[in-house]
Amino acid sequence: MSDYIIRPLTAAEVQHAVDWAGREGWNPGVHDAECFRPTDPDGFLGGFLDGEMISSVSAVNYNADFAFLGFYIVKPEFRHHGHGLEIAQHALAHCGSRNMGLDGVVEQQENYRKSGFTFAYNNYRFAGTKMRMLAKLGTSSNDCVADLSSASDELKAYDRDMFPAARDLFLESWLSAYNHVSKVYSDNGRIQGYATLRPCITGYKVGPLFADNTDIARALLAALLTAIPEDHNEHEVFVDMPQPNTSAFALADALGLDKVFETARMYSSHQPDIDLDRIFGVTTFELG
């Protein structure tokens, strides 16, 4: 395939990959591209055939030990010709010997197994409207919940318990992005949870939703939902929950949320030691 060129994507081209993800039904955030790329600009790859971008993949190296794969897409009319396999091989080479994580859609899970990835657990996407959820959560404010727009050292340390690597650059982009709303829960000066709401192609997503217990997760979720404009009261809000967190699933059930999508969290080497019991909502399926 001498006319098939694979190279890192520009910022504008990363937006193309996000748009493709939208067409695949993955419903990315409106401002995801600008938040994702700074972590590892060389980790967003595109395949170009005769100058046309026909494939994408992200292989984001967080540190020397951990990477996360996402945005593995080939335009439908170019599938089944080996273009996807070739760009995937470039992504794996970029990650080197790092332990790699991914959220595989159901139809691709067997292919990931063939590439050496091992199933860890399922993530499930739950959906409900603002009004439906607030009817269960209540709208009273909580003095422990405050606005969050930047990542303090304490917040970075808290986040590290729920993610396999430090992700300082990502957090700074994520928390300060346009139209992202973030809240932190602190009691006696100690962070016990934080969460972010962002507008997506369809509705909104909450992620991360990290909390020490269900009551804190509920307080954070209620605070975020009240930030949604009133004319969007019936827009869907999505939370991606890891199945091992039974408290998260119990919360979804208590709020009457609908299960609408699933992925398999898989790793190339081993399942990292992260505190799943405090992950009530993963950050993104694309970057972990």
Side-chain angles (χ1 to χ4, degrees), residues 169-189:
L169 284 175
F170 171 78
L171 287 176
E172 292 295 349
S173 297
W174 197 247
L175 298 177
S176 62
Y178 180 70
N179 274 348
H180 284 208
V181 178
S182 298
K183 303 287 184 178
V184 62
Y185 188 105
S186 300
D187 191 18
N188 292 321

Side-chain angles (χ1 to χ4, degrees), residues 149-167:
S149 60
S150 62
S152 65
D153 289 343
E154 184 184 3
L155 186 99
K156 293 172 184 175
Y158 185 85
D159 182 82
R160 182 64 182 82
D161 287 341
M162 274 65 76
F163 198 77
R167 49 178 183 170

Side-chain angles (χ1 to χ4, degrees), residues 245-265:
N245 188 338
T246 56
S247 295
F249 272 51
L251 175 59
D253 184 63
L255 297 179
L257 304 185
D258 300 314
K259 192 183 293 181
V260 297
F261 186 64
E262 72 174 276
T263 69
R265 175 61 61 88

Side-chain angles (χ1 to χ4, degrees), residues 7-18 48 53 56:
R7 62 166 174 78
L9 296 174
T10 66
E13 290 165 344
V14 173
Q15 184 60 55
H16 292 328
V18 173
F48 294 80
M53 182 174 163
S56 68

Side-chain angles (χ1 to χ4, degrees), residues 1 33 107 127 137 140 150 168 170 199 207 211 236 247 263 274 276 279 288:
M1 298 181 188
E107 58 268 24
L137 291 167
S140 58
S150 62
D168 297 1
F170 171 78
E236 284 194 302
S247 295
T263 69
I274 56 176
L276 288 168
I279 302 177

Side-chain angles (χ1 to χ4, degrees), residues 15 18 27-33 36 180 198-201 205 286:
Q15 184 60 55
V18 173
N27 195 28
V30 175
H31 302 287
D32 279 3
F36 287 173
H180 284 208
R198 77 191 196 277
C200 295
I201 292 174
K205 283 184 189 172
E286 294 81 20

Side-chain angles (χ1 to χ4, degrees), residues 3-272:
D3 51 356
Y4 183 51
I5 297 172
I6 297 170
R7 62 166 174 78
L9 296 174
T10 66
E13 290 165 344
V14 173
Q15 184 60 55
H16 292 328
V18 173
D19 293 340
W20 289 356
R23 289 196 290 270
E24 293 291 323
W26 302 347
N27 195 28
V30 175
H31 302 287
D32 279 3
E34 62 201 64
C35 296
F36 287 173
R37 188 170 177 269
T39 299
D40 182 5
D42 291 335
F44 288 81
L45 303 174
F48 294 80
L49 187 64
D50 296 328
E52 178 187 356
M53 182 174 163
I54 67 163
S55 63
S56 68
V57 68
S58 61
V60 174
N61 292 334
Y62 281 97
N63 62 14
D65 300 313
F66 184 71
F68 203 87
L69 305 180
F71 288 112
Y72 182 38
I73 305 169
V74 179
K75 291 181 71 173
E77 61 268 34
F78 295 99
R79 292 173 184 174
H80 310 298
H81 296 289
H83 303 303
L85 177 60
E86 188 170 349
I87 196 171
Q89 291 171 339
H90 276 71
L92 296 178
H94 178 73
C95 295
S97 61
R98 294 171 176 84
N99 184 25
M100 294 172 280
L102 59 82
D103 278 304
V105 295
V106 172
E107 58 268 24
Q108 288 292 334
Q109 289 175 25
E110 184 58 33
N111 288 333
Y112 293 130
R113 286 190 179 93
K114 291 177 182 177
S115 296
F117 287 83
T118 301
F119 174 83
Y121 52 85
N122 287 114
N123 286 315
Y124 286 92
R125 177 164 294 165
F126 290 91
T129 65
K130 167 187 173 180
M131 297 309 295
R132 178 174 157 194
M133 296 166 75
L134 283 178
K136 302 284 188 178
L137 291 167
T139 57
S140 58
S141 61
N142 188 308
D143 291 340
C144 292
V145 177
D147 293 337
L148 177 67
S149 60
S150 62
S152 65
D153 289 343
E154 184 184 3
L155 186 99
K156 293 172 184 175
Y158 185 85
D159 182 82
R160 182 64 182 82
D161 287 341
M162 274 65 76
F163 198 77
R167 49 178 183 170
D168 297 1
L169 284 175
F170 171 78
L171 287 176
E172 292 295 349
S173 297
W174 197 247
L175 298 177
S176 62
Y178 180 70
N179 274 348
H180 284 208
V181 178
S182 298
K183 303 287 184 178
V184 62
Y185 188 105
S186 300
D187 191 18
N188 292 321
R190 186 172 68 86
I191 292 177
Q192 297 181 19
Y194 86 98
T196 297
L197 172 85
R198 77 191 196 277
C200 295
I201 292 174
T202 300
Y204 296 81
K205 283 184 189 172
V206 174
L209 176 56
F210 295 165
D212 287 3
N213 57 53
T214 301
D215 288 342
I216 293 171
R218 291 176 65 98
L220 287 166
L221 194 53
L224 291 176
L225 292 172
T226 58
I228 296 175
E230 289 189 7
D231 58 346
H232 290 187
N233 281 349
E234 297 304 320
H235 287 211
E236 284 194 302
V237 179
F238 304 93
V239 187
D240 300 330
M241 296 180 169
Q243 190 172 28
N245 188 338
T246 56
S247 295
F249 272 51
L251 175 59
D253 184 63
L255 297 179
L257 304 185
D258 300 314
K259 192 183 293 181
V260 297
F261 186 64
E262 72 174 276
T263 69
R265 175 61 61 88
M266 308 178 79
Y267 293 100
S268 63
S269 175
H270 61 277
Q271 184 171 340

